[in-house]
Amino acid sequence: MNENGAAVRRTAFLVTVTALVLGALVSPNVPRAQAAPATFAHPGVTVSRAQLDFVRGKVDSAAQPWKGAFDQLLAGKYASLSRTPKPRAVVECGSYSNPNYGCTDEREDALAAYADALAWYVTRDERYARKSIELMDAWSAVVKDHTNSNAPLQTGWAGSSWPRAAEIIKYTYTGGWAGSGRFATMLRDVYLPEVINGSHSNGNWELSMTEAAIGISVFLEDRTSYDKAMATFRTRTAAYVYLASDGELPKTVPSQNLNTRDKIVAYWQGQSTFVAGLTQETCRDLTHTGYGISAISHVAETSRIQGQDLYGTDVGERLRQALGFQSKYELGAAVPSWLCGGSLNQALGPVTEVGYNALHNRLGIAMSNTRTLTLQNRPAGSNNLFVAWETLTHGDNPA
């Protein structure tokens, strides 16, 4: 090799090394191109085996709040062993589920499958595992499509619950699940295509859709889809919750073309004063804001189980600020005139347990408003969409 060739190779080597070093020094607030683990952890969607073992031990010893939360789950309609699944080939959901052709049935059957999976794990009563399988098999044999204007959101909501149930059953139930392959095909062919490319609608849509895509990707062990959904999630989370470090205006999703102050203010429901913890939908109502916050917490929890802890990044800080800001007003604090014209539509929902446990209990961050609201709402039940029994699964859970 001549000296010129050697020099070229040395230069290329130095460039490569420099790139690797710079990549290692990139701020943790910058989304990584690849987030999927080399090997997926199972069960690993929102709740891990260690967390489930903690819950089972607490329920067995009748410790509170877990025993009360589990009793609430068993007494509710979702864990009923007499439940009959109501699958449809085409689920048609218009705005606010009008028309509602299978929308409620699908969401609630998915939640029921998850409730039964939790009941199975805690009790080891095989009837619950078999009921969960019955629900999942019924839908995987029939459903082919979601249509009308709310199809992406509907698919996101149901698609967030199905993998939670499937992960627990496939990886902990020893009685076998012959239909798991067909269920995986359903997730891959019917659900994933509807949610993987995100949404230009309100932020809670895309956050719920990416939650579904990430959970489905874990079950399918699809690293490419996991990485794509996680990148979308990081961008949307930054554009959903404002931090002072964002500057004068909130961050935006580039493809939405929100390139002027007026456009951003209009997208943020007319809110023109931005403070830490304000979300893109706070001035719409706290209910939809709660959907977004919940999806952020669910993805962060799944990501932690899969080996990439987002709680120490901007995702965790945005979640902390959003929980604290919304909790303050949910608890009854006076709404200042600069915020949403001095009036807020409340009803945040049972959405604080996962984030509070991760940020306060694991990381030791003081979150007084979120703590007060969380304890006040225990045991947290379900919002009948995609949030379910998180006092049971995540309340003061160190695992």
Side-chain angles (χ1 to χ4, degrees), residues 272-283:
S272 58
T273 300
F274 301 101
V275 297
L278 182 79
T279 81
Q280 179 249 313
E281 295 186 280
T282 298
C283 292

Side-chain angles (χ1 to χ4, degrees), residues 285-350:
D285 57 59
L286 295 193
T287 301
H288 285 87
T289 297
Y291 300 165
I293 290 172
S294 183
I296 292 170
S297 69
H298 292 165
V299 172
E301 195 70 358
T302 296
S303 181
R304 183 187 70 89
I305 294 166
Q306 297 305 329
Q308 184 187 30
D309 196 334
L310 297 178
Y311 290 114
T313 72
D314 73 301
V315 171
E317 180 62 10
R318 291 179 197 279
L319 178 59
R320 179 178 81 88
Q321 295 287 354
L323 283 168
F325 187 83
Q326 267 62 223
S327 293
K328 174 183 177 180
Y329 295 108
E330 185 77 2
L331 289 168
V335 182
S337 59
W338 58 262
L339 177 61
C340 310
S343 177
L344 279 174
N345 296 313
Q346 295 182 337
L348 185 64

Side-chain angles (χ1 to χ4, degrees), residues 91-153:
V91 177
E92 181 180 355
C93 306
S95 181
Y96 293 92
S97 293
N98 182 22
N100 183 339
Y101 299 133
C103 316
T104 302
D105 292 339
E106 180 187 36
R107 293 193 304 265
E108 295 195 349
D109 277 351
L111 286 168
Y114 179 49
D116 289 326
L118 291 172
W120 142 253
Y121 198 91
V122 171
T123 66
R124 290 304 196 268
D125 183 337
E126 292 197 24
R127 293 177 300 165
Y128 288 109
R130 291 194 293 268
K131 177 57 70 172
S132 184
I133 288 170
E134 178 189 342
L135 291 159
M136 291 189 285
D137 283 353
W139 279 89
S140 69
V142 173
V143 68
K144 299 298 180 186
D145 198 11
H146 298 81
T147 64
N148 215 319
S149 59
N150 258 32
L153 183 60

Side-chain angles (χ1 to χ4, degrees), residues 138-191:
W139 279 89
S140 69
V142 173
V143 68
K144 299 298 180 186
D145 198 11
H146 298 81
T147 64
N148 215 319
S149 59
N150 258 32
L153 183 60
Q154 170 72 18
T155 312
W157 283 340
S160 294
S161 298
W162 286 129
R164 291 183 214 144
E167 282 279 300
I168 294 171
I169 295 300
K170 182 174 180 179
Y171 292 98
T172 73
Y173 176 54
T174 56
W177 179 16
S180 64
R182 188 178 70 193
F183 186 82
T185 298
M186 175 192 78
L187 293 181
R188 181 181 297 107
D189 294 349
V190 179
Y191 288 82

Side-chain angles (χ1 to χ4, degrees), residues 10 80 233 391:
R10 283 196 299 272
S80 170
F233 167 79
T391 297

